[in-house]
Amino acid sequence: MKWYVQWLYPGLKIKRWLFLFSIGLMTLVFGATMLMNYQIFGILEEEIFMLAYQMTGNYSYTALVLFGIFLSIVGILMMMIGVRKLVKRFIALVVPDDQNRVSRQVLGRIELAKGPHIVALGGGHGLSMLLRGLKNKTSNLTAIVTVADDGGSSGRLREEMDIIAPGDLRNCLVAMADKESVLEQLFQYRFGGNGELAGHSLGNLFLAALIKEFGNPENALEAASKVLKIRGKVIPSTTEEVRLVGKMSDGSVVEGESEIAAYPADIVSLSAIPENPIAVGDALEAIKQADMIILGPGSLYTSIMPNLLVPELLQAIRESSAPCVYICNVMTQPGETTGYTVGDHLEALKKVTGDGVIGYVLANKQPVSEKIQEQYARAGSYPVKIDEGKVEKLGAFLITADLLGVEAGAVHDQNVLAGKLMAIQNLLHASISSDSLKAYLKGIRE
């Protein structure tokens, strides 16, 4: 039996409103026909004319027109009542507990669908934090995620199953999920003990199974996205098994993301094996349609740069007309950016991107509490110093703002950061002069 016939089963209280809507439609057609003076309902017209003659002593089309208007209004009202009751009944049958929530969700999704197309590139906790904030601003959101991770659960699955690292992809999927749920908590669940599953997260295993089942990461991520009902898309920068190679300040060459981050010397340059990994087509298309491209926040060398080592991705960013914004970390990262200023972060990125790619740098100016600074100092991490002169000398415009929220921790507040980025995006796409734009952006610092 067809699905639409099942809605006519007894007891659903739907047929009555369908009947009312049908009667209203016929009444509207009948009234409109009289207004257009079609000679279809001749007997009724004669009766109306006779009634008008008995009341006024004259034959007049005015009575016919008025009656047609009356019938049309009655028909429209009946149709509106029928549609309203049908919609409420459908919602009551599908979601009996919270009907108001459905209407709020529908309106919310309509508003989010009108949001700008934003592409965020990175990996690790920084990117997932950013996505949690941005998903409440727009559903036209694309995360392009590094797959160069070779440590922990991701590294083990990568080696054992010959797949791309799933860890950062999992974090982004959970971050972009439509709402918090038990399923999301399960995705983040990590097995303990000493067995073969020890250290693995359920989400990593789930993605690994999907990749093997569907044969490629793109289809696997699409399936996982439907399960979690995410807002936007999560796309790997490449489906090749990329391995990072770092040239260190002591002349050593270190292979592997985890090894590079742990090596005691500074990083001089970064490359990838294979040298020219192929980009995912959907990632290139997302960049082409972007209204804003965001790099970071996250580990400079092991989360952000690996995406830029995919030549096609970097070329797409260069050719894009969308503004490219780099979000600088709040704190330096031991083993990667020890002693780096904001300008040093940008300088390292420019060695990979070249000139004219990163147009704006967003940095935090809100002080980190002394207690938290002491905790980070024990690990060799300190607040990143702002050097506006160097940033602008490198060809980018520096925007500073309070980005830590009320708790003033050592990481960005996801909602504050997302709100600031949306304000910047609106200003950059406003029809104002360059000087006025810079004045407005300077005002964001306050």
Side-chain angles (χ1 to χ4, degrees):
M1 184 175 291
K2 297 294 185 181
W3 63 269
Y4 48 81
V5 177
Q6 296 176 4
W7 286 108
L8 301 179
Y9 282 175
L12 294 180
K13 299 180 181 179
I14 289 177
K15 296 188 294 295
R16 66 189 69 178
W17 305 122
L18 285 173
F19 179 74
L20 179 63
F21 178 84
S22 301
I23 295 298
L25 179 61
M26 288 189 290
T27 304
L28 174 62
V29 171
F30 189 75
T33 301
M34 296 184 68
L35 285 173
M36 291 182 285
N37 199 26
Y38 287 154
Q39 302 298 318
I40 299 176
F41 306 102
I43 296 176
L44 181 59
E45 288 184 3
E46 289 180 8
E47 293 297 327
I48 294 173
F49 278 130
M50 184 61 67
L51 178 63
Y53 178 76
Q54 292 175 354
M55 294 176 62
T56 64
N58 295 306
Y59 287 106
S60 174
Y61 279 99
T62 303
L64 185 64
V65 171
L66 291 175
F67 191 64
I69 293 174
F70 172 75
L71 289 179
S72 298
I73 293 174
V74 170
I76 291 172
L77 288 175
M78 293 172 71
M79 291 171 64
M80 290 176 63
I81 293 171
V83 169
R84 182 172 179 271
K85 293 290 186 179
L86 276 172
V87 170
K88 290 185 68 175
R89 187 59 188 156
F90 279 130
I91 293 175
L93 289 171
V94 176
V95 191
D97 296 330
D98 192 355
Q99 298 178 32
N100 292 328
R101 178 172 60 86
V102 175
S103 59
R104 291 195 301 268
Q105 285 183 346
V106 171
L107 292 174
R109 288 179 181 179
I110 291 173
E111 288 300 314
L112 290 174
K114 296 177 182 178
H117 289 76
I118 295 179
V119 174
L121 296 90
H125 296 293
L127 179 59
S128 58
M129 176 277 303
L130 174 66
L131 297 173
R132 286 186 186 276
L134 286 176
K135 75 176 181 182
N136 296 316
K137 304 295 183 180
T138 177
S139 58
N140 299 311
L141 181 61
T142 302
I144 300 178
V145 187
T146 177
V147 291
D149 187 9
D150 62 354
S153 172
S154 288
R156 288 166 56 192
L157 289 173
R158 174 176 168 164
E159 295 298 325
E160 294 170 7
M161 301 185 67
D162 194 28
I163 60 173
I164 61 174
D168 288 340
L169 296 169
R170 180 203 78 234
N171 284 331
C172 291
L173 284 170
V174 173
M176 294 173 70
D178 187 52
K179 60 179 181 178
E180 300 295 329
S181 66
V182 175
L183 191 58
E184 293 169 46
Q185 295 174 20
L186 288 174
F187 256 61
Q188 297 292 51
Y189 175 79
R190 197 170 293 274
F191 292 95
N194 299 314
E196 292 184 2
L197 291 179
H200 280 304
S201 73
L202 183 60
N204 284 356
L205 295 173
F206 181 75
L207 281 179
L210 286 178
I211 292 172
K212 285 297 184 181
E213 177 67 23
F214 286 97
N216 66 73
E218 296 164 82
N219 290 343
L221 285 169
E222 184 177 350
S225 299
K226 291 178 180 178
V227 171
L228 289 172
K229 298 181 180 179
I230 73 166
R231 298 177 185 174
K233 291 182 178 180
V234 176
I235 306 173
S237 56
T238 178
T239 56
E240 297 189 42
E241 294 177 45
V242 175
R243 195 163 180 82
L244 297 182
V245 178
K247 184 177 180 181
M248 318 306 286
S249 59
D250 63 358
S252 301
V253 176
V254 181
E255 189 173 319
E257 179 193 299
S258 56
E259 296 294 328
I260 292 171
Y263 198 80
D266 294 335
I267 303 170
V268 176
S269 63
L270 204 66
S271 58
I273 300 174
E275 187 175 349
N276 297 307
I278 299 173
V280 174
D282 286 348
L284 300 177
E285 185 62 28
I287 292 174
K288 186 183 298 184
Q289 297 179 2
D291 295 312
M292 174 183 276
I293 299 170
I294 300 172
L295 303 178
S299 301
L300 179 64
Y301 288 98
T302 54
S303 289
I304 300 173
M305 280 193 189
N307 295 298
L308 303 175
L309 294 177
V310 181
E312 292 172 302
L313 272 184
L314 180 55
Q315 186 61 30
I317 295 172
R318 286 173 176 162
E319 294 174 354
S320 174
S321 59
C324 183
V325 180
Y326 167 58
I327 304 173
C328 189
N329 287 348
V330 177
M331 308 292 288
T332 60
Q333 185 173 352
E336 287 200 32
T337 58
T338 300
Y340 274 37
T341 63
V342 175
D344 293 334
H345 282 78
L346 178 60
E347 187 175 32
L349 282 172
K350 281 198 65 178
K351 290 179 181 178
V352 178
T353 65
D355 294 330
V357 176
I358 301 174
Y360 304 88
V361 176
L362 178 60
N364 172 65
K365 69 179 181 65
Q366 185 177 348
V368 178
S369 69
E370 292 185 5
K371 183 178 180 180
I372 293 178
Q373 283 196 49
E374 290 174 1
Q375 295 173 359
Y376 273 78
R378 287 194 286 270
S381 181
Y382 302 90
V384 177
K385 294 182 180 179
I386 296 173
D387 48 350
E388 182 176 359
K390 183 172 184 177
V391 171
E392 297 193 347
K393 186 178 179 180
L394 290 168
F397 186 83
L398 178 66
I399 305 170
T400 59
D402 293 341
L403 301 175
L404 306 182
V406 294
E407 294 185 3
V411 294
H412 297 97
D413 181 285
Q414 62 191 40
N415 296 317
V416 173
L417 180 60
K420 200 65 64 175
L421 285 168
M422 294 302 293
I424 293 171
Q425 196 276 332
N426 291 334
L427 288 172
L428 292 178
H429 284 79
S431 300
I432 56 179
S433 66
S434 178
D435 291 339
S436 298
L437 174 61
K438 287 186 176 182
Y440 278 122
L441 291 175
K442 291 280 186 182
I444 292 180
R445 302 179 183 189
E446 304 302 326

